[in-house]
C-alpha cells in the first residue's frame, strides 16, 4: 500500500499532513530556483523604479529555493484567523518601530559610526526584529516573511530615505529568518532557534548592503560588514525577539497561540 501523506504534530499540538509524494518535485523546483539565482546575473540587469534588482533577485531566488526545500520536509499547520491578526498587529507595530528608528535614531547613530563603514551593520538587527518576532510568536510557515513585509511596507508608505527598496529588503530579510525556521522543520522555537533566525536574516542584509550600497568596499571590509550584520541579527533580532516573545507570553496576550501556552519552553 502506498502512502502519499504522513502526519506530524506541530508545536501547537495540531496534526497536519505532509505531502511526501510531491517532495521530489518540490526539491527539484528548489534546485532550479537555486540554479536560477546563480545565473540571474547573466540575464541582464532588471530594474524597478530605477532600482537595479540584479542582486536582490539572485538573493530572492536562492532564499526561495532553500525555503522550499525545508518547507517540503516539515508539517504545515494551517493559518487561523487569530494567527493572521497577531502577525498583522506585530507587523504594524514593527513598522511603527522602524519609522521611529529611521526618523529619530538612525541618522545620529550612522553618523557616529561613519568612521568605519562596516560598523553601520552593527545596528542592522533593528530592521530584522519584526520578522524574527513574528516567526517565534505565530509559529506558522511564512509568518516571519509576512510580519517583516508588513513592517517594511508600512515604513515605506510613511516615508524614509530608501523608498521602494525598503519593501524588497523586508521581503528578503523575512525570508532570511524564514529559511532557518524551515530548515529546522518549524519545530524549534527556543533561544537557539531565535538566534539562528536572527543570524540568517543578518547574513541576508549584510550581503545586500555590502553589494548594493557599498560596492566600492574591498572584499575584506565586505566580509567584516556581513559579520557585523550577523552579530547584530543574533543579538538584536534573535535575542531581542526571544525576550519579547517571553514578555508577551507572560502577560497572557499570546494565550490563543502555542507561543503563549508554552511560554515556559520558549
Amino acid at each position: 500500500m502506498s502512502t502519499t501523506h504522513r502526519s506530524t504534530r506541530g508545536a501547537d499540538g495540531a496534526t497536519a499532513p505532509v505531502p511526501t509524494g510531491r517532495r521530489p518535485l518540490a526539491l527539484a523546483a528548489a534546485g532550479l530556483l537555486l540554479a536560477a539565482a546563480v545565473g540571474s546575473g547573466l540575464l541582464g540587469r532588471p530594474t524597478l523604479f530605477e532600482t537595479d534588482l540584479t542582486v536582490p533577485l539572485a538573493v530572492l531566488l536562492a532564499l526561495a529555493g532553500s525555503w522550499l526545500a525545508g518547507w517540503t520536509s516539515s508539517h504545515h499547520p494551517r493559518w487561523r484567523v487569530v494567527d493572521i491578526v497577531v502577525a498583522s498587529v506585530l507587523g504594524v507595530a514593527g513598522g511603527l518601530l522602524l519609522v521611529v528608528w529611521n526618523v529619530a535614531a538612525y541618522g545620529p547613530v550612522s553618523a557616529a559610526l561613519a568612521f568605519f563603514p562596516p560598523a553601520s551593520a552593527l545596528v542592522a538587527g533593528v530592521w530584522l526584529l519584526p520578522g524574527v518576532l513574528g516567526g517565534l510568536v505565530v509559529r506558522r510557515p511564512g509568518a516571519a516573511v509576512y510580519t517583516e513585509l508588513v513592517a517594511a511596507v508600512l515604513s515605506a508608505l510613511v516615508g524614509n530615505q530608501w523608498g521602494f527598496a525598503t519593501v524588497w529588503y523586508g521581503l528578503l530579510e523575512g525570508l532570511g529568518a524564514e529559511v532557518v525556521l524551515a530548515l529546522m522543520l518549524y519545530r524549534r522555537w527556543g533561544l537557539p532557534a531565535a538566534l539562528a533566525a536572527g543570524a540568517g536574516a543578518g547574513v541576508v542584509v549584510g550581503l545586500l548592503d555590502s553589494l548594493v550600497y557599498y560596492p566600492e568596499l574591498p572584499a575584506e571590509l565586505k566580509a567584516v560588514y556581513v559579520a557585523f550584520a550577523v552579530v547584530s541579527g543574533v543579538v538584536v533580532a534573535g535575542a531581542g525577539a526571544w525576550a519579547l516573545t517571553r514578555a508577551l507570553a507572560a502577560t497572557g496576550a499570546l494565550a490563543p497561540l502555542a507561543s503563549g501556552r508554552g511560554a515556559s519552553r520558549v
Side-chain angles (χ1 to χ4, degrees):
M1 179 181 296
S2 63
T3 302
T4 58
H5 291 80
R6 64 178 175 86
S7 294
T8 57
R9 189 168 295 276
D12 58 357
T15 301
V18 178
T20 57
R22 297 182 181 179
R23 186 176 303 163
L25 180 60
L27 292 177
L32 289 175
L33 284 171
L34 291 172
V38 175
S40 61
L42 305 176
L43 302 177
R45 302 181 68 85
T47 60
L48 183 63
F49 300 144
E50 300 182 353
T51 300
D52 187 349
L53 297 182
T54 304
V55 172
L57 178 61
V59 174
L60 173 62
L61 291 172
L63 289 173
S66 301
W67 174 73
L68 185 58
W71 181 77
T72 55
S73 301
S74 66
H75 70 279
H76 306 153
R78 294 181 178 179
W79 280 67
R80 303 165 298 166
V81 173
V82 66
D83 300 323
I84 299 172
V85 171
V86 171
S88 300
V89 170
L90 291 176
V92 171
L96 294 176
L97 168 67
L98 297 184
V99 168
V100 173
W101 167 256
N102 293 337
V103 172
Y106 178 68
V109 171
S110 62
L113 298 175
F115 69 95
F116 184 52
S120 62
L122 290 172
V123 298
V126 175
W127 289 285
L128 311 178
L129 181 60
V132 180
L133 180 62
L136 294 180
V137 169
V138 180
R139 299 187 180 183
R140 290 290 186 267
V145 175
Y146 177 79
T147 307
E148 186 73 30
L149 188 57
V150 169
V153 169
L154 177 58
S155 175
L157 289 176
V158 172
N160 58 46
Q161 52 269 60
W162 301 284
F164 175 76
T166 304
V167 176
W168 55 258
Y169 252 76
L171 173 63
L172 296 175
E173 290 163 355
L175 270 172
E178 192 74 45
V179 164
V180 174
L181 298 176
L183 293 178
M184 290 187 286
L185 307 182
Y186 295 108
R187 295 179 183 175
R188 299 289 182 267
W189 307 105
L191 180 58
L195 299 181
V203 169
V204 171
V205 73
L207 288 174
L208 284 174
D209 280 356
S210 62
L211 295 175
V212 174
Y213 289 108
Y214 301 104
E216 74 285 354
L217 287 180
E220 58 272 18
L221 288 185
K222 288 182 178 178
V224 173
Y225 190 99
V226 174
F228 282 177
V230 171
V231 170
S232 184
V234 169
V235 175
V236 179
W242 177 78
L244 284 172
T245 301
R246 289 179 61 88
L248 288 171
T251 67
L254 305 182
L257 306 175
S259 55
R261 296 192 298 272
S264 61
R265 301 190 301 273
V266 174

